[in-house]
Every structure is written in C-alpha cells, then in structure tokens.
Amino acid sequence: MDALTTKPSPDANRRQRTDLLLVYPPWPVLDDRAMLQNSLPPLGILSVAAHAESKGYSVHVIDVHGERADEETVRQRIREHRPRFIGISVLTNMCVPAHRLARISKEESPDCVVVAGGVHAEAMPDRMLRNSAIDCVVRGDGEEPMIAIMEGLDFKSIDGISYREGQFVVHNKARQLLMDLDRFPFPAYHLVDFANYFPPVGSYRDLPAINMLMTRGCPGKCTFCNSARTTLRARNAHQVVAQIKHLREVYGIRQIMFYDDTFTVLKKTCLEFCAALAAEKLDVSWVAYVRGDCFSDDLAAAMRKAGCHQVLMGIETGSEQIALRIGKPIARERYMEAVAIAHRNGLEVRGSFIIGNMGETWQTMMETLNFAIELDVDLFQLSVSTPYPGTALYKEAREAGTLKECSWYEFGQGKVLVEQPQITDEEIYRFERYAFRKFYLRPIVAVRMLRRLTRWRHVRDYFVTAMILLLGRHKKNDSRNWESWKGLREEDYLDLPITEPESVPLTYQLRQAQ
Ligand code: B12
Ligand code: SF4
C-alpha cells in the first residue's frame, strides 16, 4: 500500500473523526516478573499528544498496557474514533503486539495513516516497514514530525522519518534536534486515567504517583543503553515546578518519579529546581536517577530539602573489568562516596546492577553482589544484560553472531539472550536467585523495610515480591485481557519483501542530523 495515496486531507471530517489516536502497546510478560511490573503513563506519546493538541488537533490515547485492554476493546475504540492518523509507540519488548495493533488499525479505520515511533521503531525502521500496515516510522523526537505528517506534507520533505517507496525504504535525514525543550508543552496527562498506574515496589512513599522528566538525553557511554551519547537537553526548572504544582492541585499527585536518565547531570538546573520546589512547600515526595560521578553533598542536601527520599543509582557491577567492558568505568571508591553522600543527607539508595554482561563469570558476579552489600544500598535491583537494538551491546552481539534465536517478547531484562563461552545461562539464573536471597535475607534489610512501611500497599508489595524473588513462588499473569497479545509471531506481520540492511546503527548516530 502506498502511504502517500492513503493520506487524507488534514481538515476532512474534522468534526466527526478524531484526528490522532495514539496507542501504547502491551507487554504481556509471561513469566513471574509479571507481578513485579510497574506501570506508568507513557510520556513519549503523551508528549506527542500535547503538542498535537496545542496545534488544535483532537487527540485520543489508548494505553493498552496500562488499561490492560484486550483486542476487542481496542477495535471498538478505533471504530468509535475513526482516527485519521494512528500513532503507535514501540519499545523492543512490545514490538510484536505493536505490529498487530498496526494491522488492527488498518482493519478498523482503513484510510488512516499509521505511524510508528519510539526507540525500537527508530533502531529498526526497515523491519517495521516490512509490515504493510505501517506507513511511516518517526525517528527520534516525535512532536514535530507528527504534526508535519498530519498537515499532509509530502513524506519526502519531512526530516526524521522513514517510509516506503515501492520495494524500498527511504530514510530522510535526521531532524535538527530542538534544544529548547520548553517549546514543547508538558505531557498531556489528562488523556490517561491515573487509576491504571502504579510505581515500582519500594520506590514510593506516597500515592498517587506519576512520572516526569526535566531533561532528555545522556552524555554517558554505556554499551547496554539506548540513551548513550544522546544530546542532553533540559526544561526550565521553574516551569517543571509549576507543572508539579498543577499536578498536585488538579490530580492530588503526592509522589513524582523522575525518570530523567541522569537527573543531576546539569547541576545548576537541578539546584534551581530543588530551591524552587522547596519554596513551594507542596508536600510531594520524589525519587530520581543519579550517576555515581554526578552527585555531591550540596546536591543531595538540596534534593532532600525539596522532598526527594530516594535516589536510583545505576552501579551495574562490582567488577572493574566489567565496568570497563560496559562503558561505565566509574571507580568503586566513587560509588562508595556517592552512597555515603546520599545516606548522610537522609536519602535512600536503590542500587541497580546487571549480571550476564559480556565477559561475565561467576567470580565477577560475586564481586557485584559483595559490592552491593559493602556499599550498603537500601534496595538491590538486579537485571540480566539485554542487547537492545540501537545499543553498542546489540551491535557487538549481532556482529559476533552470538545473539540467541529469541522472540522480542523476551527483551525484558530477565532472560539471557547472548551466548558466551565462559558462562552458561543456568549459572546466570542460579546466581540471580542466590544474590536476591543473600542480599535481602539479612536482618538489617528487614529492619529498614519495616521502617519504610507507611501504608498497607507497601505490605502487600513486599509480600508479593518476597514470594517471587526469594521463594520462587508466583501466580501466572492470567488476566484474560492479555491473551490476545500473547504468543504472536513477528514474521506473520512482515508481509512485504523488503531487504533489511546489514549495518547495525546506534541510537545516538541515528539522531545526528547530517
Ligand atoms: C520512564 C521509563 C520507564 C517507565 C515508564 C514507561 C512508560 N510508560 O513510559 C517504567 C519504569 C514503567 C519502564 C519500564 C520498562 N522500560 Co523503560 N524507560 C523509561 C525511560 C527512562 C524514560 C521513558 C520516557 O519517558 N522518555 C521520554 C520520552 C519523551 O521519550 P520517548 O518515550 O522515547 O518518546 C519520544 C520518541 O521516542 C518519540 N515517540 C515515542 N513513541 C512514539 C509514537 C509515535 C507515533 C511518534 C510519532 C513518536 C513517538 O516521540 C517521543 C517524544 O519526543 C526510558 C529511557 C529514555 N530516556 O527514554 C526507558 C526505556 C524506554 N525503558 C526501557 C526498558 C527496557 C524498559 C523495560 C523493558 C524494563 C523492564 N524489564 O521492566 C520496561 C518495559 C515497560 C513496558 N510497558 O513495556 C528501554 C527500552 C529499550 C528498547 N529498545 O526497547 C529504555 C529506552 C531504557 C534503555 N535501557 O535504554 N520504563
Ligand atoms: S545507563 Fe545511565 S549513564 Fe549510562 S548511558 Fe544510559 S542513561 Fe546514561
């Protein structure tokens, strides 16, 4: 199908039809981690939505994941709205349901233009466009290209998109990055139902909670991360505080989860934000990510004063050799200092670690566990190294031919997906179980957890988590709503004979305007 011929004019039937329907696909995780999956508003599509609304377009959002909507519900909503444009956000783990959603979109609203965006679509536009139901892929920030598409501009003239021309995929040049994030409105939170969302276990003090960003991008170079080397941009700190005030007043929000890649990397902006938030006395608790080498006493003190109660620190490994290998060679002493800074300023530390990295052995994983205990982090988060398209890790594994045959559903940081001669999958899984028990079954951890209990929901959270991580007992995610999204096969949706390129580009390279 030729996308250019299916584009309706922007003003056609505006009153009857919704201009833009944005969809966040589900990740119907099949294993025990289902119980631990938190769910928060999809800020990417809510940012695209807010920008479109600011230009006068009508927008509707279906968060299939958050709403746990089944296929029939999605179909009905599309029929009801008859959208002219449907935008689907794609992370790797949800890319197969995303393909199905594109099909459903064309079945229920045949003349709509289907646009895919998000970090996976950006890394694999050729693959996405092998599905004839997807007309175009937006790479990078989606706000401006989505408007250009809705305005009916010729695809040829829109920077930052990929589309088909006959049997070929055309990749227009990357879009010039908008450095001033304040030119984009805040996410359109009013388009989702906050009742559907809940934050990660152990990371919140109050409810209701919501996620926010003050910055985009990260100067870090971590091989496993799509944000590596992406351009850092920030909003005005005072505007972020005004937004929090609005969320507090209108929705009663009591907890903010800042998901900036590194909240403290722009020290001046961070200090300005903390001072402005503290002055407002909004009684809102919050958490944020910090890097061990972007943290200091004055920052920690200002954050605490402004209501921050926990920092999330990506420590990743206790082995210096692995730290070098994953592109995050921060010295162990620096982490010791960073954790001490947090603690002496009254902030909890949620330490995030990765096992199964390239070159990992039982010995290096033990160094990681021992380091977590020595650091005395309050919460210990452990993931299995996952090679996401667009990362240096994926490139390395693809080029070495060590990527296992697996479905995209499995890209959830709980499965071993790269073959390594020096370690078996079973050793990695065994270590994971061992590490959780060793870390959490210590009296000091139990005492801290008890101190953290401020609501019944915390008790329930900890009980469920303990059953899963320590005792290995779990209830399957048996919600009937998920059935329609489970077990789909990507190849069933790739109906066009398009040859995919051999090259494996990195996310930051894709975002650089030539
Ligand atoms: C906040 C966050 C979460 C939150 C909330 C997720 C949510 N609902 O948004 C939580 C904690 C729940 C979470 C969970 C997970 N996350 Co997460 N998360 C993030 C984080 C830190 C920020 C996301 C964000 O808000 N970005 C800001 C917005 C503005 O950017 P954006 O989403 O990319 O959207 C822009 C463009 O991509 C584009 N765009 C996006 N969608 C669309 C659609 C259309 C139609 C268009 C035109 C444009 C467009 O326009 C947007 C605006 O400019 C990112 C890292 C990052 N910096 O992006 C990781 C990230 C997205 N997460 C990641 C992962 C792996 C996960 C998990 C699988 C981890 C796990 N094992 O649990 C789960 C999966 C959750 C799920 N539902 O499937 C990876 C994804 C990698 C990949 N290739 O898929 C990322 C990139 C981090 C990384 N390692 O590099 N995550
Ligand atoms: S892991 Fe953290 S520090 Fe490293 S590139 Fe990603 S966001 Fe930046």
Side-chain angles (χ1 to χ4, degrees):
M1 189 175 312
D2 181 352
L4 295 171
T5 58
T6 60
K7 252 191 286 179
S9 92
D11 292 309
N13 297 329
R14 190 80 164 262
R15 251 179 252 127
Q16 294 84 15
R17 303 183 69 174
T18 294
D19 294 317
L20 175 61
L21 170 72
L22 290 162
V23 188
Y24 193 68
W27 180 32
V29 272
L30 306 173
D31 62 7
D32 51 2
R33 281 161 193 265
M35 298 286 289
L36 300 180
Q37 283 308 313
N38 48 81
S39 177
L40 289 163
L43 296 187
I45 56 170
L46 294 187
S47 302
V48 174
H51 193 59
E53 284 192 330
S54 76
K55 302 282 176 199
Y57 290 101
S58 57
V59 186
H60 182 74
V61 167
I62 311 180
D63 179 354
V64 183
H65 187 83
E67 296 176 31
R68 300 197 149 237
D70 63 8
E71 180 174 323
E72 193 40 43
T73 307
V74 174
R75 284 186 184 276
Q76 268 173 21
R77 298 255 286 274
I78 298 176
R79 283 200 288 271
E80 188 187 310
H81 285 271
R82 292 191 303 120
R84 298 187 303 111
F85 296 88
I86 297 188
I88 304 171
S89 197
V90 195
L91 296 185
T92 302
N93 58 319
M94 53 169 70
C95 100
V96 190
H99 277 295
R100 173 143 197 85
L101 283 160
R103 278 287 163 79
I104 293 170
S105 301
K106 287 287 188 186
E107 281 163 20
E108 301 298 340
S109 190
D111 66 347
C112 75
V113 176
V114 174
V115 180
V119 67
H120 182 82
E122 172 184 25
M124 304 203 111
D126 301 81
R127 173 76 65 98
M128 297 305 297
L129 287 162
R130 282 178 60 192
N131 180 349
S132 59
I134 297 176
D135 297 308
C136 155
V137 168
V138 165
R139 309 187 318 264
D141 287 352
E143 290 87 345
E144 290 176 327
M146 194 65 233
I147 298 298
I149 293 166
M150 291 171 72
E151 280 172 352
L153 297 189
D154 190 336
F155 280 177
K156 283 192 180 69
S157 67
I158 307 175
D159 289 350
I161 71 166
S162 302
Y163 56 97
R164 281 184 303 274
E165 234 172 41
Q167 301 287 310
F168 297 97
V169 172
V170 179
H171 302 287
N172 288 353
K173 69 179 189 326
R175 208 173 179 81
Q176 195 68 45
L177 212 56
L178 186 98
M179 293 304 292
D180 179 8
L181 285 186
D182 293 324
R183 285 185 41 206
F184 291 147
F186 277 94
Y189 291 110
H190 61 277
L191 295 177
V192 290
D193 181 354
F194 287 177
N196 292 324
Y197 301 109
F198 54 99
V201 173
S203 68
Y204 64 96
R205 189 163 274 180
D206 293 308
L207 288 173
I210 204 164
N211 48 331
M212 278 187 89
L213 295 174
M214 183 158 75
T215 60
R216 289 187 192 176
C218 179
K221 298 182 174 65
C222 308
T223 58
F224 54 87
C225 179
N226 284 101
S227 297
R229 300 169 190 251
T230 54
T231 309
L232 184 62
R233 300 166 283 162
R235 282 188 179 276
N236 177 296
H238 294 275
Q239 289 204 19
V240 178
V241 173
Q243 171 74 1
I244 294 176
K245 197 171 173 189
H246 171 79
L247 290 167
R248 178 82 181 91
E249 285 165 4
V250 178
Y251 303 103
I253 292 301
R254 300 285 307 277
Q255 172 85 41
I256 310 278
M257 322 299 295
F258 274 105
Y259 273 111
D260 301 54
D261 289 324
T262 305
F263 191 75
T264 51
V265 68
L266 292 170
K267 186 169 178 177
K268 191 167 154 279
T269 308
C270 185
L271 288 172
E272 245 175 66
F273 165 79
C274 293
L277 184 60
E280 287 287 349
K281 298 192 179 10
L282 293 178
D283 189 22
V284 169
S285 305
W286 54 282
V287 302
Y289 275 97
V290 300
R291 243 179 84 114
D293 56 356
C294 299
F295 200 42
S296 53
D297 266 302
D298 53 343
L299 269 171
M303 289 166 74
R304 183 74 198 100
K305 196 169 165 217
C308 179
H309 59 97
Q310 186 180 90
V311 290
L312 290 79
M313 209 179 281
I315 302 165
E316 328 300 2
T317 179
S319 153
E320 285 180 355
Q321 165 207 333
I322 297 290
L324 264 177
R325 192 87 193 254
I326 63 176
K328 205 173 192 180
I330 300 176
R332 286 164 57 100
E333 297 68 37
R334 188 66 195 102
Y335 283 122
M336 297 295 289
E337 176 59 10
V339 173
I341 288 171
H343 283 163
R344 68 175 166 257
N345 286 285
L347 298 171
E348 285 181 338
V349 178
R350 182 188 184 92
S352 174
F353 299 85
I354 305 178
I355 51 173
N357 297 293
M358 299 299 249
E360 195 90 81
T361 59
W362 187 273
Q363 172 58 31
T364 57
M365 295 193 295
M366 279 306 293
E367 285 175 42
T368 296
L369 174 60
N370 291 335
F371 191 41
I373 294 172
E374 187 186 344
L375 280 171
D376 199 23
V377 293
D378 302 271
L379 286 136
F380 173 64
Q381 190 174 304
L382 194 60
S383 327
V384 176
S385 174
T386 305
Y388 288 104
T391 65
L393 176 60
Y394 178 81
K395 187 178 167 71
E396 183 181 348
R398 259 276 298 266
E399 289 174 354
T402 52
L403 260 189
K404 291 180 189 242
E405 281 287 319
C406 53
S407 131
W408 295 120
Y409 283 109
E410 294 173 307
F411 280 65
Q413 301 173 339
K415 281 265 162 68
V416 181
L417 301 174
V418 181
E419 293 280 1
Q420 295 200 62
Q422 81 290 351
I423 193 158
T424 65
D425 299 6
E426 187 39 47
E427 276 177 297
I428 295 170
Y429 297 135
R430 187 153 51 87
F431 182 83
E432 188 185 27
R433 291 191 294 273
Y434 166 75
F436 275 123
R437 287 189 193 140
K438 181 94 180 160
F439 185 89
Y440 280 108
L441 293 179
R442 291 179 300 144
I444 179 75
V445 176
V447 170
R448 282 184 185 152
M449 280 190 173
L450 286 174
R451 272 202 230 123
R452 215 177 287 128
L453 297 178
T454 54
R455 44 176 61 237
W456 274 112
R457 190 171 166 137
H458 288 150
V459 180
R460 196 204 69 176
D461 281 359
Y462 287 140
F463 178 74
V464 172
T465 310
M467 294 294 276
I468 294 169
L469 296 182
L470 303 180
L471 305 178
R473 292 199 194 134
H474 57 87
K475 204 169 115 232
K476 285 276 180 204
N477 180 8
D478 55 4
S479 161
R480 272 190 299 124
N481 287 358
W482 286 127
E483 288 307 321
S484 41
W485 311 114
K486 279 183 189 169
L488 306 174
R489 293 172 348 133
E490 187 187 35
E491 51 272 34
D492 292 340
Y493 300 94
L494 308 181
D495 56 339
L496 294 178
I498 288 172
T499 313
E500 293 178 46
E502 282 296 310
S503 63
V504 187
L506 302 180
T507 299
Y508 84 95
Q509 291 168 337
L510 290 163
R511 291 184 191 172
Q512 278 167 356
Q514 295 86 350

